[in-house]
Amino acid sequence: MANYIGSSLKRKEDRRFITGKGTYTDDIVLPNMTYAYIVRSPHAHARIKAIHTDKALAHPGVVAVFTGKDLQDDGVNPLPTGWQITDSMIEPPHPVVAVDRVRYVGDPVAVVVAESRAAAKDAAELVEVDYEVLPAVVDATKAIEDGAPLVHDEAPNNLSFTWELGDKAATDEALSKAAHITRLEIINQRLIPNAMEPRSAIGDYHPARDELTLYTSSQNPHLIRLLMCAFVLGIPEHKVRVISPDVGGGFGSKIFHYPEEVIVSWSSRKLGRPVKWTAERSESFLTDAHGRDHYTVAEMGMDEDGTILALRVNTIANLGAYLSTFAGGIPTWLYGTLLAGQYKYPHIYVQTKGVFTHTTPVDAYRGAGRPEATFVLERLMDTAARELGMDPAEFRRKNFIPADAFPYETPVVLTYDSGNYEGSLEKAMQLIDYKKWREEQAKARNQGRLIGIGISCYIEACGIAPSKVAGAIGVRAGLYEGASIRVHPTGQVTVYTGAHSHGQGHETTFAQIVADGLGISPDNVEVVHGDTAQIPFGMGTYGSRSLAVGGSAIWRAVEKIREKAKKIAAHKLEASEDDIVFEDGKWVVKGTDRALTLGEIALTAYVPHDYPEGLEPGLEENSFYDPSNFTFPFGTHISVVEIDPETGKVQILRYVAVDDVGNVINPMIVEGQVHGGLAQGIGQALWEGAVYDENGQLLTGSMMDYAIPKADDLPHFEVDRTVTPCPHNPLGVKGAGETGTIASTACIANAVVDAVSHLGIKDIPMPLTPERVWRAIHGK
Amino acid sequence: MKIQGDVVLPAAPEKLWELLLDPQIIAEILPGCKDLKQTGPDHYEAVIEAKIGPISSRYQTRFSLLDQKPYESYRLHIEGEGKGGFVRGDAAIRLIPENGQTRLVYEGEGNVGGMIARIGQRLVEAAAKMLIQRGFDDLRKKVEERLHSKST
């Protein structure tokens, strides 16, 4: 049997991507199409006194101008949120288009639909909105103070929820007895996702058939259909088709149900013509859900020997102006449950306050809660080791969950299924030559040079999730995945997956699985995703779940095909079913050379002239897979940086990533995912950060002021792995999409602080720009 | 954005006062000002064209000269909208006599929103300072011209 699993096959999808032949939503041009431009609030907080649309309506080429009131009067409901964090969580309505108040710069206030994009944009400038500007609050720590401007009247102190996990009394007691407490105040700054393809949506309603097709740049087409049909528009789900064609990156920001999807769908129903909207880059900055934005106080207590006793974490999470689709879950369940990391913590207590502000809504961004948790933990680890006079690697090793302790239950409700933390630390230290760099560091210090070594040991809970657990923690959805495999009469195969590829290479990885599973070449496997009319159902791609959950669903369907094929083979080969085995890609009569290939079996299934009694013709199987647990990738990253004391500029000299993502289907794709994740994580550590002024104006609203990393900012990445297969899914895989982001931010921050710690510097807030590092070094 | 500074003008406050409130002078010294219209006593409307870096914008603005204490102080309030977003500003202006001349001290707060804020923020403060400086240079010239033409 050809072993495609485990080989670095070139990506099938790249032929169209690198030749510019991809089809993204904005590439789709439909007959009679119109274009929407959205008038957005320039104020962070204001009352809408009046909207005058007459001048815009009179503009040549304008088809219609809609305001929030038009949608409201037509029965359009607010956008729902999909994750209830506490029973008392306050969920203020999120109107698709603002009606009487705007709550962040970028909040939609009117929609102009015209014959061309240019006419829509010109006319949008003629929409006059009378605002009464109201005071705004952008900082979550200020928003919960008494007397702060209220984002929603129904949320006193701007608090949506206070969530907690762990045993508070036991944690407090353990900390009170600790010989040493390490305390850090951490700002995990707000990030802007910046997918390469801006969001785009087309609503295409056919009045005669009463059918709506929504094309949308989404990671999650089935969920968008469900939310929009059942909650927002109240239209029948079976009359709506959602297609997410090629999507150019998401990083979480395209999971959510956005106002524009409703706007184009509703407008198209009103006008009986297709309506397209595509974000300008400036709109992407303002309206794609942002990430992170935590203020945290973390305290970790140790005994005299440096054994960890307890961890207490209090976090204030900025949710932005409205609850985005999964907003509540990110700074709570996807964060608090990860706070044990790789360590034996007898006690952990975490509390998160979710707070509204007059800013863009915040939701999942690559890693989603887990990078924030890792940052808290790994900064604490390094700081504590320094305070205790221990080597940071030694301090971690002392407190690791040992390799023989799995399954391991943490004080924050997760049960880790597997792990070998010492193994990955050891491997990373060898690869980078840790001992040598400590010597180099000492030498450099004597010469006045600043070299720092940063370690980050992380755990991730991904492959989300068992639906039972999802339900128990307030997710208003199941988290299984669907797949269907259609074997055509010629033996070629189409795979329909509910996962959605927007850069992950599913068309290749999934084809490799099916190829090995059915004894064919990946060239004979086509993977279809992103179309609710073709795929039974799907939960989309996020949380590194595509392979662990979607891939497992595909594998289950493969097994069903194999079972049926076995029956056909037994009949054709005149053998007992028990004697048929799948070997070397064929169905073989055990111990003989009599065998059939998939092609031969498929032909029989569709031309069943000679066919087993009672067996249905055809060869097609559906499967839904609901995992029994999360998967738990882990690893160690180590970096070495040198800081120029004159300028504060950080140069990364080495970066070693040792990840354990379980079995690997396509090493090249995994490596690519790790590289991308590293770039984004290092981006947060060194350059990225959304900045609002005190009135709620986004100051970093373009790539001139929001610095995303470029290739020449980044070092050569040395990527390696250990392999501890996931014990509970059929492929033994865990997910690799987020590990890089989760580990690298803390890794670099630790290295930078390590480089300057001998100057008495305990912490520098991110992003660690030359200015901030220079100020820290020079005490200015 | 905080705005503050001062400028010495070659006339005593008593002579300067009416020039400062003269719509024609205001129209001439307000950078990029077009179509100044008086809408009431001490209330005006104007179109202001501003260019900051790569972005040029037209603002429909309204401004008022408030809290007037003749020869001593007043407050300038301005707000406007345009396709680049909005501008608003509020400045307290004091006139301090100084050897037959006047030191005009201004102190206030200016805000911009919309595209200029997102894209041009780091240019805004420098641009505002430059525009204010240019306005006062023009004012000084006007004052000199007026006084000169009156004395001849």
Side-chain angles (χ1 to χ4, degrees):
Chain A
M1 172 171 142
N3 246 330
Y4 293 107
I5 289 179
S7 74
S8 290
L9 237 59
K10 283 196 180 157
R11 304 202 320 172
K12 291 166 69 124
E13 45 273 78
D14 283 344
R15 182 186 292 272
R16 65 179 193 278
F17 291 156
I18 62 178
T19 57
K21 301 284 192 250
T23 305
Y24 299 87
T25 300
D26 192 57
D27 293 323
I28 296 167
V29 178
L30 302 172
N32 210 21
M33 192 159 79
T34 62
Y35 298 82
Y37 190 87
I38 296 169
V39 179
R40 298 183 183 278
S41 171
H43 301 288
H45 190 199
R47 197 175 306 286
I48 300 174
K49 291 193 289 185
I51 303 177
H52 305 287
T53 59
D54 37 334
K55 283 186 200 157
L57 266 168
H59 188 80
V62 169
V63 177
V65 181
F66 299 118
T67 64
K69 195 157 181 318
D70 294 325
L71 278 83
Q72 194 183 52
D73 290 349
D74 203 43
V76 176
N77 293 315
L79 296 163
T81 192
W83 203 327
Q84 186 176 2
I85 299 312
T86 59
D87 292 342
S88 57
M89 177 171 95
I90 295 175
E91 292 180 63
H94 180 185
V96 172
V97 177
V99 179
D100 51 0
R101 248 161 96 185
V102 289
R103 294 184 170 87
Y104 68 99
V105 175
D107 213 351
V109 285
V111 181
V112 179
V113 182
E115 299 291 345
S116 72
R117 195 168 274 164
K121 194 172 174 182
D122 284 347
E125 283 174 17
L126 302 174
V127 175
E128 289 168 13
V129 187
D130 290 346
Y131 294 104
E132 179 196 341
V133 180
L134 302 170
V137 62
V138 299
D139 180 335
T141 61
K142 293 195 178 128
I144 48 171
E145 286 174 6
D146 290 336
L150 285 187
V151 183
H152 301 275
D153 298 338
E154 50 271 71
N157 290 84
N158 292 309
L159 197 63
S160 174
F161 56 81
T162 300
W163 173 90
E164 53 182 2
L165 187 66
D167 187 336
K168 183 169 194 298
T171 304
D172 289 350
E173 201 200 325
L175 284 175
S176 74
K177 290 178 183 157
H180 182 80
I181 289 181
T182 292
R183 183 181 186 279
L184 276 179
E185 203 176 316
I186 291 168
I187 295 172
N188 200 301
Q189 80 271 32
R190 178 182 285 238
L191 301 179
I192 301 178
N194 275 303
M196 199 185 286
E197 178 210 14
R199 287 190 295 114
S200 180
I202 307 169
D204 181 19
Y205 179 69
H206 286 254
R209 295 203 302 266
D210 188 27
E211 281 174 6
L212 172 76
T213 303
L214 169 68
Y215 301 85
T216 177
S217 53
S218 176
Q219 304 176 212
N220 210 358
H222 282 89
L223 198 66
I224 300 306
R225 184 180 65 167
L226 176 62
L227 293 175
M228 191 173 79
C229 291
F231 294 93
V232 185
L233 290 178
I235 53 177
E237 198 177 0
H238 69 295
K239 288 292 208 179
V240 176
R241 175 181 185 184
V242 177
I243 300 175
S244 296
D246 285 332
V247 173
F251 315 117
S253 74
K254 291 175 182 165
I255 301 172
F256 323 118
H257 186 26
Y258 281 99
E260 294 84 1
E261 291 165 331
V262 180
I263 288 170
V264 296
S265 299
W266 178 84
S267 305
S268 181
R269 285 170 68 91
K270 283 281 124 185
L271 301 170
R273 294 177 65 180
V275 180
K276 178 194 272 188
W277 168 84
T278 301
E280 297 181 340
R281 181 57 64 181
S282 189
E283 283 181 292
S284 305
F285 271 91
L286 277 187
T287 68
D288 290 0
H290 293 174
R292 319 279 192 257
D293 207 341
H294 287 194
Y295 168 80
T296 295
V297 174
E299 296 150 289
M300 182 169 78
M302 283 78 61
D303 69 9
E304 293 81 4
D305 316 330
T307 301
I308 298 171
L309 302 174
L311 171 67
R312 183 166 58 208
V313 176
N314 281 285
T315 292
I316 295 172
N318 192 333
L319 301 170
Y322 300 102
L323 285 169
S324 173
T325 312
F326 290 126
I330 311 307
T332 53
W333 291 108
L334 292 184
Y335 167 72
T337 55
L338 270 294
L339 283 170
Q342 301 188 348
Y343 311 103
K344 284 177 296 184
Y345 278 98
H347 305 289
I348 298 177
Y349 172 74
V350 51
Q351 187 202 67
T352 301
K353 287 180 189 296
V355 179
F356 294 113
T357 60
H358 292 103
T359 60
T360 301
V362 177
D363 208 320
Y365 170 64
R366 201 167 190 175
R370 291 151 293 181
E372 294 92 314
T374 303
F375 193 80
V376 168
L377 277 183
E378 292 305 294
R379 287 288 302 120
L380 277 176
M381 286 293 152
D382 256 38
T383 310
R386 194 168 293 120
E387 288 174 356
L388 296 171
M390 288 175 74
D391 180 274
E394 195 44 50
F395 178 64
R396 285 176 171 85
R397 206 180 269 130
K398 185 177 177 66
N399 288 289
F400 275 152
I401 298 163
D404 59 9
F406 297 93
Y408 179 84
E409 199 174 328
T410 73
V412 276
V413 306
L414 291 180
T415 302
Y416 299 167
D417 57 19
S418 58
N420 177 10
Y421 305 140
E422 183 126 19
S424 58
L425 175 67
E426 210 51 57
K427 189 159 187 177
M429 287 173 74
Q430 269 172 22
L431 277 172
I432 206 155
D433 202 345
Y434 183 78
K435 205 163 149 265
K436 187 204 90 178
W437 278 109
R438 284 285 172 215
E439 289 160 17
E440 289 288 323
Q441 180 183 40
K443 265 191 253 161
R445 280 185 181 173
N446 289 333
Q447 301 161 356
R449 287 167 58 218
L450 304 174
I451 284 182
I453 303 154
I455 301 178
S456 176
C457 300
Y458 71 95
I459 174 116
E460 177 183 5
C462 67
I464 53 176
S467 296
K468 219 182 270 178
V469 173
I473 64 177
V475 183
R476 292 163 171 162
L479 282 166
Y480 48 84
E481 195 51 87
S484 129
I485 293 184
R486 180 175 299 167
V487 182
H488 302 288
T490 48
Q492 276 125 17
V493 172
T494 306
V495 178
Y496 302 86
T497 171
H500 182 276
S501 184
H502 40 283
Q504 292 84 349
H506 294 171
E507 290 167 43
T508 309
T509 306
F510 291 170
Q512 287 176 255
I513 296 170
V514 173
D516 273 6
L518 297 178
I520 55 177
S521 156
D523 293 340
N524 289 329
V525 183
E526 190 66 18
V527 176
V528 174
H529 58 89
D531 183 352
T532 61
Q534 297 192 68
I535 295 143
F537 199 79
M539 293 307 301
T541 284
Y542 40 86
S544 303
R545 68 192 303 276
S546 297
L547 186 59
V549 190
S552 296
I554 290 171
W555 189 255
R556 290 281 187 251
V558 163
E559 287 175 338
K560 289 184 184 177
I561 295 278
R562 277 192 187 173
E563 263 322 288
K564 186 166 181 183
K566 192 190 227 182
K567 292 189 169 71
I568 299 170
H571 176 78
K572 293 289 281 183
L573 297 171
E574 295 174 341
S576 141
E577 226 181 286
D578 296 340
D579 289 335
I580 303 287
V581 289
F582 183 75
E583 246 175 42
D584 292 334
K586 289 184 193 125
W587 284 261
V588 186
V589 181
K590 232 186 289 181
T592 73
D593 59 357
R594 288 187 298 146
L596 288 178
T597 63
L598 182 71
E600 290 161 329
I601 290 168
L603 191 63
T604 309
Y606 287 96
V607 189
H609 294 167
D610 172 19
Y611 205 62
E613 283 295 320
L615 194 67
E616 286 175 24
L619 199 51
E620 174 164 343
E621 296 288 351
N622 276 339
S623 165
F624 283 85
Y625 176 78
D626 199 336
S628 62
N629 194 353
F630 298 94
T631 61
F632 297 97
F634 62 88
T636 296
H637 291 199
I638 305 182
S639 61
V640 180
V641 303
E642 176 155 13
I643 296 170
D644 182 338
E646 302 295 319
T647 64
K649 189 175 188 314
V650 175
Q651 195 197 348
I652 303 170
L653 303 179
R654 293 277 302 274
Y655 196 101
V656 166
V658 176
D659 297 302
D660 194 317
V661 296
N663 290 335
V664 170
I665 307 296
N666 185 317
M668 181 190 70
I669 289 179
V670 168
E671 206 168 304
Q673 287 272 21
V674 173
H675 281 209
L678 291 177
Q680 282 175 306
I682 295 171
Q684 174 171 22
L686 294 181
W687 305 290
E688 295 186 40
V691 178
Y692 281 93
D693 75 5
E694 56 188 16
N695 302 306
Q697 294 295 329
L698 179 64
L699 303 184
T700 49
S702 81
M703 300 222 187
M704 286 194 296
D705 295 292
Y706 186 92
I708 59 173
K710 297 180 287 292
D712 67 349
D713 292 324
L714 298 165
H716 170 68
F717 295 133
E718 299 163 67
V719 176
D720 208 328
R721 69 175 71 88
T722 58
V723 178
T724 312
C726 170
H728 64 75
N729 66 43
L731 297 166
V733 297
K734 300 179 186 172
E738 298 167 292
T739 57
T741 325
I742 290 168
S744 59
T745 308
C747 183
I748 294 294
N750 277 342
V752 170
V753 175
D754 186 58
V756 295
S757 60
H758 62 295
L759 306 173
I761 297 165
K762 182 180 171 185
D763 191 30
I764 310 175
M766 292 191 294
L768 301 162
T769 57
E771 183 191 350
R772 287 191 178 183
V773 175
W774 184 88
R775 282 183 191 281
I777 295 171
H778 296 271
K780 304 213 171 176
Chain B
M1 170 176 58
K2 292 258 179 282
I3 301 163
Q4 56 178 17
D6 63 280
V7 57
V8 176
L9 297 167
E14 294 76 14
K15 285 188 179 166
L16 204 56
W17 184 254
E18 66 181 78
L19 296 182
L20 289 170
L21 304 185
D22 180 342
Q24 203 189 327
I25 299 267
I26 293 170
E28 286 176 38
I29 65 168
L30 211 55
C33 177
K34 304 258 181 327
D35 296 336
L36 183 90
K37 276 187 224 131
Q38 188 154 9
T39 54
D42 303 313
H43 290 271
Y44 304 91
E45 266 180 22
V47 172
I48 292 182
E49 288 181 351
K51 190 169 187 319
I52 294 179
I55 310 156
S56 51
S57 234
R58 267 171 82 88
Y59 292 100
Q60 297 287 341
T61 60
R62 295 167 297 287
F63 63 94
S64 329
L65 308 170
L66 306 167
D67 305 341
Q68 296 180 17
K69 283 190 194 161
Y71 319 134
E72 280 180 27
S73 65
Y74 64 101
R75 192 157 66 84
L76 175 66
H77 180 82
I78 183 162
E79 54 182 55
E81 302 86 36
K83 69 171 181 181
F86 65 85
V87 289
R88 7 172 89 239
D90 203 85
I93 292 162
R94 284 180 296 139
L95 305 179
I96 301 165
E98 208 172 272
N99 307 325
Q101 301 194 347
T102 301
R103 180 174 296 274
L104 183 153
V105 181
Y106 59 91
E107 193 173 349
E109 174 84 32
N111 291 311
V112 293
M115 190 171 18
I116 292 218
R118 284 198 298 287
I119 295 181
Q121 186 68 28
R122 61 200 157 136
L123 309 172
V124 166
E125 206 159 334
K129 275 189 189 141
M130 192 188 74
L131 293 174
I132 291 166
Q133 189 59 46
R134 193 189 299 160
F136 281 121
D137 285 348
D138 288 348
L139 177 63
R140 189 187 300 116
K141 278 184 217 144
K142 296 288 159 195
V143 172
E144 281 165 1
E145 271 172 30
R146 283 284 181 109
L147 295 176
H148 185 68
S149 66
K150 272 191 185 168
S151 64
T152 53

